[in-house]
Amino acid sequence: MSHSRRLSLEPAITGRFRDSLSLQTDDVINNKPDFRELDLGSPVSTLMPRVSSSSASSAAATPTSSSGSSGSASGKPSVPTVKTHSGEISGSPGSVMPPVKSLTPGHRRSSSTGKPLIFSGSSFSGATSAVSSPSPAVLPAGNICPSGRISKTGMSAARATSRTETLCTGTGNYGRGNVVRSGGGKQQNHSAAENGESSEELKRLGNDMYRRGNFSEALSLYDRAISLSPENAAFRSNRAAALTASGRLGEAVRECLEAVRLDPSYSRAHQRLGSLYLRLGEAENARRHLCFSGQCPDQTDLQRLQTLEKHLRRCWEARKIGDWRTVIKETDAAIANGADSSPQLVACKAEALLRLNQIEDSDFCISSVPRNDHFYHTRPQAKLFGMVAEAYVLCIQSQVDMALGRFDTGVVKAERAAMLDQTNPELVSVLSNVKMVVKARTRGNELFSSGRYSEASVAYGDGLTHDGSNSVLYCNRAACWYKLGLWEKSVEDCNQALKIHPSYIKALLRRAASYGKLGRWEDAVRDYEFVRRELPGDSEVAESLERAKTAVMNRSQESKSLGYNNQVEAVSTLDKFKNVVSLPGVSVFHFKSTSNRQCEEISPFINTLCLRYPLVHFFMVDVEESSALVKAESIRKVPTFKMYKNGDKVKEMICPSHQFLEDSIKHFLL
């Protein structure tokens, strides 16, 4: 069925808020490096010029330090450097970096060029240098000067080999250079080393791509930088910014979580993570990171957090009392406040629409739930209304599926929801009801298929005791009543199904067929015309509509020949009243007053009944103009209805409801 209405699930966000969500890298916006240098590009220490042979021998036997370390040529004791927050490494020029266990591969030599090549990976300018050894007899012993030239001389040419070997593979003897960070032999690290790229250079290039809006290329560069320096929290944070700009919020959350795991005091990552949680509608997690120990939260983010908490609290209170329109209002307000990517808030709105019997809108709403996969990686898990957020979303999806007859998927989602939050009583109850409804429906279908319609109606009724708002069960039971010739009951169950699901095609067709059996062809035509508009290419619907129209025309001609004019006729004298009372069939007399409000309210309905039941005579008596008739019939209150059948009075009603009046007409008409 077509459904053209669109729901505004993501209201416009103010420019100020959109700017705060951009999560730009500091290099791009503020020129404040959002990184901390871990290693410089080369996996071996730099060489100071002209060292003694004894010093060289000692250096060759010493295990290598991290790629950001340097050796002292003068033999002075090493002084540890201090790594500042901005990423700058301080220390005296002669100081030596403390050794780090995990190292990054930074260069390779190859025999394909005839001479070994040394690639420097520590250039911050992004330029790569590859300098050939001045003599084939001179091989690297681990000490390489910043220019890439080998300063150590006097080595025996006999030690040279023409075999092609790669640094960091563990297959060749390179002295202190053959120490790698975990996974150092991976192809990605080889590629970076061959190109002479450092992690900082890759990060800078990634920032340039980010600034140009090329987020996929920025991600690729950040990935390469992380492969060289996997312990760098700032690289993870920058990657999270690019993922956020690409709309991949779940992945961005994971990157920020990894950044704060690597550096628990990294305030930038905490702030970025808090902003992400605000967009995901997770107020508790957002507060945990925006207000973590030692950090003063941004006042704009703090105000946004407090507003989100307010709307969630109001939503909770409205849901408890069944005020579903307020639930919709508060969820829309929370989404407009910035929680524009929150699956649980969208699911909350879908639940409210479902309870208001707006099933198509509910289905459309729940189908637009953001596909975030961050739930499994969020600790602690986000909750809404006391339920794990993902379990709540699955619970609402299950109920919408059940309402639309998608029983199999409804059961699967209810089971998944209960597995995610096994102790929540609401989820346990929903799963139990879903299973009972499916069981009853399956049993009813089996009985119906075997022609046991009465038993099938009981089975469908059992399912309705567990889910009284399931339109499919009502429609199925209506089919049982139709087969049993109980067309009035069939119409009633179809009405219930359509009250829950107003555009339920199968219920409309079943009700139209029941109307036809009752001779209510005008009502049948109305239902068939609605279905015809929804299914313009259905030939069976077109044929049924034509048959119903033909029946209406034939009966109209028949009623005219019998004196029926399909209009409410006025009676003002006692003599005329006595004449029309004796007419064959059913006659209905409406005693009314133009000054009475109830009479004026029910008069349009009498006109409708006149068209709906053309074989019934309808008369109207104005008590103010027919005092003799009113006195003879002892009319003391209006509106009063009297019904006659073949000249005999069969029923009298004072101020009846619309339904009671119509039911009485149908009873005496059959």
Side-chain angles (χ1 to χ4, degrees), residues 78-150:
S78 61
V79 179
T81 61
V82 179
K83 184 163 59 175
T84 65
H85 182 75
S86 65
E88 297 295 329
I89 299 179
S90 62
S92 60
S95 64
V96 179
M97 291 287 289
V100 180
K101 293 182 179 181
S102 59
L103 302 174
T104 303
H107 65 271
R108 185 183 77 165
R109 77 171 184 172
S110 172
S111 61
S112 60
T113 59
K115 297 181 180 181
L117 300 178
I118 306 299
F119 291 85
S120 172
S122 59
S123 173
F124 285 87
S125 64
T128 60
S129 60
V131 182
S132 302
S133 172
S135 171
V138 179
L139 296 178
N143 286 336
I144 305 172
C145 62
S147 66
R149 294 185 180 275
I150 301 174

Side-chain angles (χ1 to χ4, degrees), residues 483-501:
K483 289 291 186 179
L484 293 169
L486 302 174
W487 300 306
E488 289 291 345
K489 283 191 172 184
S490 178
V491 169
E492 290 173 1
D493 272 357
C494 287
N495 287 340
Q496 287 294 327
L498 291 166
K499 182 180 179 181
I500 299 167
H501 189 180

Side-chain angles (χ1 to χ4, degrees), residues 548-606:
K549 287 181 175 179
T550 301
V552 170
M553 293 177 61
N554 292 339
R555 194 170 65 177
S556 177
Q557 295 174 357
E558 179 184 358
S559 63
K560 287 181 180 179
S561 64
L562 294 175
Y564 299 95
N565 55 13
N566 295 336
Q567 293 180 354
V568 179
E569 186 176 350
V571 175
S572 58
T573 65
L574 184 59
D575 292 336
K576 185 173 182 179
F577 177 79
K578 292 178 179 179
N579 289 333
V580 296
V581 162
S582 60
L583 288 174
V586 178
S587 299
V588 178
F589 291 87
H590 175 205
F591 292 86
K592 59 169 289 188
S593 172
T594 55
S595 60
N596 184 276
R597 181 178 59 82
Q598 288 181 299
C599 292
E600 293 303 313
E601 289 178 353
I602 202 170
S603 291
F605 182 64
I606 301 302

Side-chain angles (χ1 to χ4, degrees), residues 312-514:
L312 290 177
R313 183 176 60 255
R314 291 177 178 175
C315 194
W316 170 281
E317 294 169 352
R319 184 177 184 268
K320 286 193 294 185
I321 63 175
D323 185 0
W324 299 111
R325 298 194 183 280
T326 298
V327 170
I328 293 175
K329 175 183 175 182
E330 294 301 325
T331 54
D332 283 341
I335 291 171
N337 182 61
D340 58 344
S341 300
S342 174
Q344 60 269 31
L345 283 176
V346 177
C348 183
K349 183 172 184 177
E351 181 187 19
L353 292 168
L354 180 64
R355 302 292 180 257
L356 293 171
N357 294 329
Q358 300 177 31
I359 297 182
E360 285 90 352
D361 289 344
S362 178
D363 184 42
F364 178 77
C365 184
I366 201 69
S367 66
S368 64
V369 166
R371 303 293 183 183
N372 290 330
D373 57 351
H374 73 285
F375 291 108
Y376 292 114
H377 306 273
T378 303
R379 294 292 182 272
Q381 289 179 304
K383 288 193 173 185
L384 185 68
F385 309 136
M387 286 177 273
V388 172
E390 186 179 14
Y392 173 70
V393 172
L394 287 168
C395 177
I396 302 305
Q397 288 175 333
S398 171
Q399 294 179 65
V400 172
D401 286 339
M402 295 293 292
L404 291 171
R406 301 191 290 254
F407 292 93
D408 293 339
T409 57
V411 171
V412 171
K413 290 174 182 176
E415 289 176 339
R416 287 175 56 194
M419 286 294 295
L420 288 171
D421 196 349
Q422 300 179 15
T423 60
N424 187 274
E426 184 174 344
L427 294 175
V428 172
S429 175
V430 168
L431 177 60
S432 176
N433 286 340
V434 164
K435 287 184 175 180
M436 294 302 296
V437 168
V438 171
K439 181 179 178 180
R441 179 245 189 181
T442 302
R443 175 64 176 161
N445 288 355
E446 292 172 352
L447 292 168
F448 188 92
S449 299
S450 61
R452 299 157 66 181
Y453 305 120
S454 181
E455 295 175 68
S457 68
V458 174
Y460 292 132
D462 290 342
L464 287 169
T465 62
H466 297 284
D467 184 3
S469 60
N470 193 290
S471 59
V472 176
L473 294 181
Y474 276 115
C475 189
N476 285 6
R477 193 170 69 172
C480 296
W481 301 137
Y482 184 90
K483 289 291 186 179
L484 293 169
L486 302 174
W487 300 306
E488 289 291 345
K489 283 191 172 184
S490 178
V491 169
E492 290 173 1
D493 272 357
C494 287
N495 287 340
Q496 287 294 327
L498 291 166
K499 182 180 179 181
I500 299 167
H501 189 180
S503 55
Y504 192 0
I505 293 296
K506 188 175 289 186
L508 285 165
L509 289 172
R510 194 152 287 156
R511 188 174 70 174
S514 299

